[in-house]
């Protein structure tokens, strides 16, 4: 049986040379059928390289977003026109491990739809990064995690040997059916950068679907390769966390509590991050 089409979606904003490693790995993987590159903004030299990369290969589509529209909206744009089958969402500074598409497809088999699969994300030392396995996000977990007491992410806990249900997986390496992505309405475009993965995993659960993590799939994630200032990225993360809690507040008391705690959360995230911006 011919395996389903898998379209990889890569959204890039001033990613740097790691983008080339990401794309070469995808182009050489026999399980990746097509690549949709969404250019959210890159130097002219990289734009020329991307055009050459796309022109030289079948199945590679370069999409000009017309500016930095954000990660979630960029992924949604990349998913438009993708063939039925699977979508592989991967960060532009991540290098896919060979065999990961097959492992994620196997983890998906028989799981309730809409289904989202995540994999192991690791650094250059082979150490699991922060965030590919996460508990459900609560205000308490956000406050304690960013204050230095991690109660949210699970990378310090023993890794599973195979595919397991998970509350949240990372948008840096995410696999789903194109049909499921459409059913969920894609990423919520109100989230410019960060937390869109937390949100779509929650919506998949609430729709009666499933979120699964498999350590048999993975990607090397360099991280911090974008030229965007670290403090600005941290502010985006803080603002999107606050947006998430406001979106899912179930009563006036929760909305009031979020308003009161929002400055503390913003401070904890922004000023624990080095850098200018």
């Amino acid at each position: 049986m011919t395996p389903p089409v898998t379209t990889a979606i890569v959204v890039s904003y001033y990613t740097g040379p790691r983008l080339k490693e990401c794309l070469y790995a995808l182009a050489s993987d026999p399980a990746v059928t097509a690549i949709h590159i969404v250019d959210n903004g890159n130097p002219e030299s990289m734009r020329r390289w991307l055009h050459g990369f796309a022109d030289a290969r079948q199945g590679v589509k370069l999409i000009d977003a017309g500016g930095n529209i954000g990660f979630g909206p960029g992924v949604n744009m990349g998913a438009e026109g993708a063939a039925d089958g699977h979508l592989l969402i991967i960060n532009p500074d991540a290098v896919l491990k060979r065999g990961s598409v097959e492992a994620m497809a196997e983890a998906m088999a028989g799981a309730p739809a809409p289904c989202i699969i995540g994999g192991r994300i690791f650094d250059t030392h082979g150490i699991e990064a922060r965030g590919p396995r996460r508990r459900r996000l609560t205000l308490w977990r956000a406050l304690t995690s960013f204050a230095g007491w991690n109660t949210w992410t699970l990378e310090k806990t023993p890794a599973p040997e195979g595919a397991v249900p998970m509350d949240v997986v990372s948008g840096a390496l995410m696999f789903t059916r194109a049909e499921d992505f459409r059913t969920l309405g894609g990423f919520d475009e109100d989230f410019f950068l960060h937390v869109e993965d937390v949100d779509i995993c929650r919506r998949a659960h609430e729709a009666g679907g499933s979120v699964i993590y498999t350590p048999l799939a993975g990607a090397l994630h360099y991280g911090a390769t974008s030229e965007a200032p670290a403090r600005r990225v941290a502010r985006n993360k803080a603002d999107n966390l606050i947006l998430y809690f406001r979106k899912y507040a179930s009563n006036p008391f929760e909305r009031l509590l979020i308003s009161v705690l929002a400055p503390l959360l913003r401070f904890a995230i922004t000023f624990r991050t080095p850098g200018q911006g």
Side-chain angles (χ1 to χ4, degrees):
M1 180 182 295
T2 303
V5 169
T6 294
T7 301
I9 301 174
V10 181
V11 178
S12 173
Y13 172 74
Y14 279 84
T15 305
R18 300 304 186 189
L19 175 60
K20 296 181 181 181
E21 292 186 53
C22 170
L23 295 175
Y24 279 134
L26 293 172
S28 66
D29 194 318
V32 176
T33 315
I35 307 172
H36 288 186
I37 309 163
V38 181
D39 184 2
N40 262 4
N42 280 290
E44 187 56 36
S45 58
M46 181 60 79
R47 286 176 178 266
R48 289 195 297 270
W49 185 90
L50 288 171
H51 278 287
F53 180 86
D55 291 344
R57 292 166 176 81
Q58 289 187 340
V60 179
K61 181 179 181 181
L62 181 59
I63 303 165
D64 186 350
N68 188 6
I69 62 173
F71 176 76
V75 171
N76 290 349
M77 181 176 286
E80 291 177 6
D84 288 339
H86 294 145
L87 301 179
L88 171 69
I89 301 161
I90 185 167
N91 267 23
D93 56 355
V95 180
L96 185 69
K97 176 184 173 183
R98 186 66 64 92
S100 292
V101 170
E102 295 90 336
M104 289 187 281
E106 183 177 349
M108 179 180 283
C115 181
I116 295 173
I117 308 293
R120 182 174 180 268
I121 301 168
F122 50 91
D123 65 16
T124 54
H125 302 288
I127 298 172
E128 185 177 342
R130 188 176 191 270
R133 298 182 284 139
R134 284 175 271 183
R135 299 181 176 96
R136 180 166 175 158
L137 179 59
T138 65
L139 188 57
W140 169 252
R141 285 174 178 158
L143 287 168
T144 54
S145 292
F146 290 106
W149 178 26
N150 188 7
T151 59
W152 181 25
T153 64
L154 298 170
E155 69 279 353
K156 301 297 184 183
T157 65
E161 295 183 0
V164 293
M166 192 61 57
D167 288 329
V168 180
V169 295
S170 175
L173 180 63
M174 184 175 280
F175 186 80
T176 187
R177 300 181 189 90
E179 180 182 1
D180 290 359
F181 194 72
R182 289 192 294 267
T183 296
L184 291 168
F187 284 126
D188 184 337
E189 297 193 0
D190 286 340
F191 296 96
F192 182 82
L193 177 66
H194 294 297
V195 192
E196 67 287 311
D197 50 3
V198 182
D199 175 78
I200 200 170
C201 287
R202 179 167 181 161
R203 288 189 282 119
H205 282 299
E206 291 180 349
S210 51
V211 177
I212 297 170
Y213 169 85
T214 175
L216 304 180
L220 165 63
H221 186 211
Y222 285 104
T225 62
S226 173
E227 296 177 16
R231 284 273 168 82
R232 191 172 76 196
V233 173
R235 282 196 294 269
N236 277 328
K237 181 181 292 186
D239 289 343
N240 281 355
L241 278 167
I242 294 164
L243 173 63
Y244 174 87
F245 290 122
R246 286 178 173 155
K247 176 178 179 177
Y248 291 105
S250 60
N251 56 62
F253 174 75
E254 284 190 9
R255 287 189 285 273
L256 176 61
L257 181 62
I258 292 160
S259 296
V260 171
L261 294 177
L264 178 61
L265 186 60
R266 189 176 284 111
F267 178 86
I269 296 171
T270 302
F271 291 97
R272 72 189 292 270
T273 303
Q276 303 299 319

